[in-house]
């Protein structure tokens, strides 16, 4: 009797192992292109504590971006009630003036998606008017004055970010889904299409390109000194690195994978996680703010979760993971100064929204 029980148990064991083998054979490993690599860990992980910069004036509703040049700091308010941009002295953060007045007149803005400093001038994007606006510093340096307006070609679908490529060219994400980025002239005309959405979702590529492009909305930055254009997805966990000098392209995909979405009435509705919210390409590395919060958790908490990310990921200029900074605050936008080892950041959850982090060598 006992020998029969042992034989039966042995048969069940082998049947179970055989079943697991069939399951493993049935699962198809995700196949990546030659330039696409998965990552899950960083060689270094460090904690950073932020210090609050005390401002002497209450200006912000949603401080989204921060940039610093010389003795000036500029902070963008995504939902500004009167102005979208504010100019400060740096490092004192004494308020100087505001720009980008909200309104629908020819000299006002309906939205501000981002802004860039280039050759001591500032460029900003109004997606609702489909315009790029150039501003220059006044002779006293305490204000920014509108200098020119570039109306984008009607063929360019609603742009949500941009980078300055050189004196005559901008780079804008392509939301038609036909390519990844567009090179656009200083007159607003399309010059060249760059790359393709690096998705494994072949069905979406064939049937829902615009929705796919929406789901793959990315924040980007370009460094003209090294020719690196980098982009990070707002959903999921994808980092793309284009070297526009040698035409190489590398894609890094983290544990949360590419953006997840469902299509409803032609639009892409997010179903996965909130991914990245800002990126900066310095002379030696790529810094990106990462959230990693599931949309289900965001909905379940019903506004009780802090808004922003608690992580800054650092990648090499080839997209290799280098360091993961774990923060004691939730942030949205960053500006990195590698010379002074300083990161300035925006915190949309507090009345004093400017933070300063100090970091060591990576």
């Amino acid at each position: 009797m006992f020998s029969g029980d042992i034989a039966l148990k042995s048969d069940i064991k082998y049947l179970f192992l055989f079943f697991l083998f069939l399951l493993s054979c049935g699962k198809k490993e995700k196949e990546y292109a030659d330039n696409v690599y998965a990552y899950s860990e960083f060689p270094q992980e460090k904690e950073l504590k932020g210090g609050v910069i005390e401002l002497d004036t209450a200006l912000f509703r949603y401080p989204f971006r921060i940039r610093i040049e010389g003795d000036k700091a500029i902070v963008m308010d995504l939902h500004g009630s009167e102005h979208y941009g504010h100019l400060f002295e740096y490092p004192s953060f004494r308020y100087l003036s505001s720009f980008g007045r909200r309104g629908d007149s020819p000299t006002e803005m309906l939205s501000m998606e981002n802004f860039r400093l280039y050759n001591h001038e500032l460029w900003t994007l109004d997606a609702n008017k489909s315009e790029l606006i150039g501003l220059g510093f006044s002779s006293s340096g305490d204000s920014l004055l509108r200098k020119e307006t570039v109306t984008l070609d009607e063929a360019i679908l609603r742009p949500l970010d941009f980078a300055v490529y050189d004196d005559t060219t901008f780079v804008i994400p392509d939301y038609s889904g036909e390519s990844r980025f567009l090179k656009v002239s200083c007159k607003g005309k399309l010059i060249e299409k760059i790359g393709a959405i690096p998705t494994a979702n072949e069905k979406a590529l064939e049937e829902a390109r615009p929705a796919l492009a929406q789901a793959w909305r990315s924040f980007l930055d370009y460094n003209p000194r090294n020719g690196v254009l980098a982009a990070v997805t707002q959903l999921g966990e994808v980092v793309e690195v284009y070297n526009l000098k040698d035409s190489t392209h590398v894609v890094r995909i983290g544990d949360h994978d590419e953006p997840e979405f469902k299509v409803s009435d032609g639009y892409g509705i997010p179903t996965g996680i909130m991914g990245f919210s800002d990126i900066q390409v310095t002379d030696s590395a790529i810094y990106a703010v990462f959230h990693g919060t599931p949309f289900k958790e965001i909905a379940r908490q019903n506004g009780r979760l802090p808004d922003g990310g608690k992580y800054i990921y650092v990648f090499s200029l080839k997209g290799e993971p280098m360091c993961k900074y774990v923060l004691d605050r939730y942030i949205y936008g960053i500006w990195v100064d590698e010379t002074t080892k300083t990161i300035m950041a925006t915190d949309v959850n507090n009345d004093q929204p400017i933070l300063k982090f100090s970091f060591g060598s990576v």
Side-chain angles (χ1 to χ4, degrees):
M1 181 178 68
F2 289 104
S3 61
D5 287 345
I6 293 171
L8 179 61
K9 289 178 181 178
S10 178
D11 289 343
I12 291 172
K13 175 183 176 183
Y14 284 115
L15 283 170
F16 179 68
L17 291 174
F18 181 65
F19 178 67
L20 288 178
F21 172 75
L22 289 176
L23 280 178
S24 65
C25 291
K27 283 185 179 179
K28 185 179 179 181
E29 289 292 324
K30 182 171 284 190
E31 295 181 358
Y32 292 123
D34 292 340
N35 66 326
V36 181
Y37 306 91
Y39 74 89
S40 60
E41 296 180 349
F42 288 81
Q44 299 183 63
E45 181 173 317
K46 301 177 181 179
E47 295 183 358
L48 295 182
K49 293 186 177 181
V52 176
I53 304 297
E54 298 288 341
L55 302 181
D56 58 4
T57 181
L59 293 168
F60 301 103
R61 294 177 65 188
Y62 203 91
F64 191 60
R65 293 285 179 261
I66 181 169
R67 304 282 185 267
I68 294 169
E69 183 173 281
D71 62 351
K72 299 294 187 296
I74 304 170
V75 183
M76 172 189 151
D77 189 350
L78 187 65
H79 302 313
S81 55
E82 294 185 8
H83 293 87
Y84 290 109
H86 305 283
L87 180 65
F88 298 85
E89 280 186 349
Y90 181 78
S92 68
F93 273 90
R94 183 176 70 87
Y95 170 72
L96 294 175
S97 61
S98 299
F99 64 95
R101 178 177 288 278
R102 184 171 186 161
D104 56 8
S105 77
T107 59
E108 295 175 328
M109 301 183 70
L110 293 176
S111 67
M112 185 184 287
E113 268 56 53
N114 207 341
F115 68 88
R116 306 289 180 181
L117 288 162
Y118 183 80
N119 283 349
H120 307 294
E121 293 186 340
L122 183 142
W123 283 93
T124 187
L125 170 65
D126 185 338
N128 289 335
K129 286 189 174 182
S130 199
E131 293 178 346
L132 286 163
I133 299 105
L135 301 99
F137 286 94
S138 63
S139 57
S140 60
D142 60 1
S143 60
L144 283 157
L145 308 175
R146 192 179 184 115
K147 293 177 64 176
E148 65 178 300
T149 302
V150 176
T151 301
L152 297 174
D153 195 306
E154 290 183 359
I156 300 171
L157 295 183
R158 179 182 171 85
L160 295 175
D161 203 355
F162 78 106
V164 181
Y165 178 69
D166 58 23
D167 292 339
T168 62
T169 313
F170 302 99
V171 178
I172 294 174
D174 180 8
Y175 286 101
S176 72
E178 296 301 318
S179 64
R180 194 67 177 104
F181 301 104
L182 308 172
K183 279 188 178 179
V184 178
S185 75
C186 58
K187 302 298 183 183
K189 303 300 181 183
L190 177 60
I191 300 173
E192 180 186 356
K193 296 184 177 182
I194 303 171
I197 299 173
T199 180
N201 190 340
E202 295 181 0
K203 182 177 181 181
L205 274 174
E206 294 175 2
E207 301 175 4
R209 280 182 180 264
L212 180 69
Q214 291 167 30
W216 275 77
R217 177 189 177 177
S218 297
F219 302 108
L220 67 153
D221 193 33
Y222 176 69
N223 188 326
R225 290 181 294 276
N226 52 35
V228 171
L229 172 70
V232 288
T233 54
Q234 186 180 29
L235 310 178
E237 190 177 350
V238 182
V239 181
E240 296 174 72
V241 182
Y242 292 78
N243 189 312
L244 299 185
K245 289 187 175 180
D246 62 16
S247 299
T248 57
H249 175 213
V250 173
V251 181
R252 304 279 177 176
I253 300 180
D255 287 341
H256 295 284
D257 216 326
E258 64 177 78
E260 296 179 21
F261 70 102
K262 61 182 180 181
V263 179
S264 177
D265 296 326
Y267 292 94
I269 309 299
T271 58
I273 65 148
M274 190 71 173
F276 296 93
S277 64
D278 200 8
I279 181 172
Q280 182 178 341
V281 181
T282 66
D283 290 347
S284 62
I286 299 165
Y287 295 77
V289 179
F290 185 69
H291 297 213
T293 311
F295 282 99
K296 287 182 179 179
E297 181 67 16
I298 294 172
R300 185 161 51 244
Q301 292 293 330
N302 193 25
R304 293 189 298 272
L305 279 177
D307 195 359
K310 285 192 71 173
Y311 309 99
I312 296 176
Y313 288 178
V314 186
F315 301 89
S316 74
L317 295 177
K318 294 184 178 180
E320 300 149 330
M322 294 172 62
C323 185
K324 175 182 179 180
Y325 289 121
V326 181
L327 313 178
D328 66 338
R329 311 291 180 98
Y330 288 83
I331 66 170
Y332 237 91
I334 56 170
W335 175 83
V336 181
D337 185 344
E338 290 184 315
T339 302
T340 62
K341 304 298 181 184
T342 299
I343 299 174
M344 304 302 298
T346 59
D347 177 358
V348 301
N349 305 286
N350 292 299
D351 293 335
Q352 295 289 352
I354 310 300
L355 302 174
K356 178 181 179 180
F357 297 89
S358 296
F359 65 99
S361 300
V362 176

